Amino acid sequence: MNDLTLVYSDEFKKHVMDRAHPESPERLEHTIKAARELMGECEKTIEIIKPEIIEKEDLLSVHVPDHIEKIKSISMAGGGMITLDTTMNEHTYDIAKLAAGATKLAAKLVDENHSKTSFAVVRPPGHHAEANSAGGFCFFNNIAIAAEWLISKKGYRRVVILDIDHHFGNGTSHIFYHRSDVLYVSIHAHPMYSYPGTGYPTEIGIVEGMGYNVNIPLLPGTESIDWLHSLNFASNIIEQFQPQIILVSVGFDALIGDPVGILNLSNNAFFGTGYIINQLANKFCNGKICCTLEGGYKIEQLEEVSKKFFKGMLGYKPKIIEKLQETRISNHTNSMFSQVKRALRDYWKF
Ligand SMILES: [Zn+2]
């Protein structure tokens, strides 16, 4: 069994929005380069494999037929604009399907014990894609499709989706908003200051899903220690849920200086993030972690931050974890925790 398997293809570069767009094909090269370097630097078994195209049935498990047809027809016609910041070219439909297929394959590799952990290094990203609409650079919801496949085809009953992208994953949240078999937990920049403008702590789910949508918003300028404390806060809820697998929407756009971000995380915050997720997975689900790539646009840092995240998820312990125990959380982040506790106190122990 591999320690980490990455699912990647150069085909992902064919989808291009426009030359100046931050969600550029170049992003993936740095993350894959980091994985290749790590193969030569550590004793863990790391493999890179090619994705499979997604089945229509899998797309339909999450998206309405009209949405799939719309993406297909615009793409087939040569491309066009979906929203002001989300555009397509002639390859977008096929490549978005490949990104969904890669994420499903990443889940399958972990489910079938081919690999302890996996990471789909894909674009376009997926977590802003709703059942019936595209937006925020996303067309099909890669991680939601993978989660739904694990539940409907592989019999999983408790899947956690941890979303550590800088932005609230509105699509993923809403797709599972009424359900208790998927716990969606998102740490993100406060919706008052950031896209998509939703993701408040009071958005906790509906009907059977009440309590299974956990939003932890952070104020602009939040730094690494508060971020990691937030992840520990989230871990407490995830532990009570006792997941059978941890799916992670990984975005590196909370990194300080990201062109679309307002949070101030260091590369080491992502090292610590990977490590905390590794510890959580070891405790509850035999180390099973399946990640897919969402955002992250600070090109010159992507190689280093990706490598640090991989190292953390492989179980290497960074110094920042020890520092975390000695450093108090700030008052503003603590006040966010109070809001989350108030919204969810009937559902989880704090
Ligand atoms: Zn993002």
Side-chain angles (χ1 to χ4, degrees), residues 285-305:
C285 41
N286 300 321
K288 287 182 180 181
I289 305 168
C290 165
C291 304
T292 192
L293 187 64
E294 304 288 356
Y297 309 100
K298 194 182 177 188
I299 293 288
E300 66 276 22
Q301 290 291 320
L302 286 178
E303 187 183 322
E304 192 183 339
V305 75

Side-chain angles (χ1 to χ4, degrees), residues 27 125 127-128 136-138 163-169 194-195 250-254 258 260-261 294-297:
R27 297 169 57 235
H127 73 153
H128 296 304
F137 323 157
C138 302
D163 191 328
I164 56 164
D165 186 272
H166 168 286
H167 303 93
F168 170 56
S194 180
Y195 182 87
V250 180
F252 297 119
D253 39 3
D258 187 283
V260 306
E294 304 288 356
Y297 309 100

Side-chain angles (χ1 to χ4, degrees), residues 206-235:
I206 51 169
V207 292
E208 287 94 58
M210 279 181 89
Y212 293 89
N213 194 96
V214 178
N215 292 330
I216 306 169
L218 299 174
L219 292 175
T222 295
E223 294 181 354
S224 304
I225 293 293
D226 275 15
W227 170 272
L228 292 171
H229 277 299
S230 306
L231 193 59
N232 279 336
F233 180 86
S235 298

Side-chain angles (χ1 to χ4, degrees), residues 171-239:
T172 316
S173 165
H174 298 157
I175 286 164
F176 298 110
Y177 208 56
H178 58 296
R179 287 170 50 171
S180 59
D181 51 358
V182 176
L183 172 66
Y184 177 75
V185 181
S186 178
I187 305 171
H188 49 258
H190 199 286
M192 195 179 281
Y193 306 93
S194 180
Y195 182 87
T198 51
Y200 286 88
T202 47
E203 296 166 37
I204 62 165
I206 51 169
V207 292
E208 287 94 58
M210 279 181 89
Y212 293 89
N213 194 96
V214 178
N215 292 330
I216 306 169
L218 299 174
L219 292 175
T222 295
E223 294 181 354
S224 304
I225 293 293
D226 275 15
W227 170 272
L228 292 171
H229 277 299
S230 306
L231 193 59
N232 279 336
F233 180 86
S235 298
N236 167 45
I237 298 173
I238 295 170
E239 287 187 16

Side-chain angles (χ1 to χ4, degrees), residues 98-171:
L98 197 64
T103 306
K104 179 187 160 187
L105 179 58
K108 191 175 170 186
L109 293 169
V110 171
D111 169 62
E112 293 177 354
N113 295 320
H114 176 87
S115 193
K116 193 171 175 192
T117 69
S118 62
F119 198 121
V121 183
V122 302
R123 57 183 296 280
H127 73 153
H128 296 304
E130 304 267 358
N132 62 353
S133 63
F137 323 157
C138 302
F139 302 91
F140 298 132
N141 197 311
N142 305 322
I143 204 152
I145 290 167
E148 186 55 42
W149 177 78
L150 287 168
I151 289 166
S152 61
K153 301 290 185 212
K154 306 298 287 188
Y156 282 68
R157 297 180 317 282
R158 293 182 314 281
V159 172
V160 68
I161 299 179
L162 175 62
D163 191 328
I164 56 164
D165 186 272
H166 168 286
H167 303 93
F168 170 56
N170 53 296

Side-chain angles (χ1 to χ4, degrees), residues 28-48:
L28 300 192
E29 292 167 14
H30 299 277
T31 296
I32 280 299
K33 191 172 174 214
R36 292 207 171 102
E37 282 177 8
L38 200 56
M39 283 177 186
E41 289 171 14
C42 76
E43 73 282 7
K44 304 280 185 184
T45 32
I46 304 172
E47 186 188 11
I48 302 174

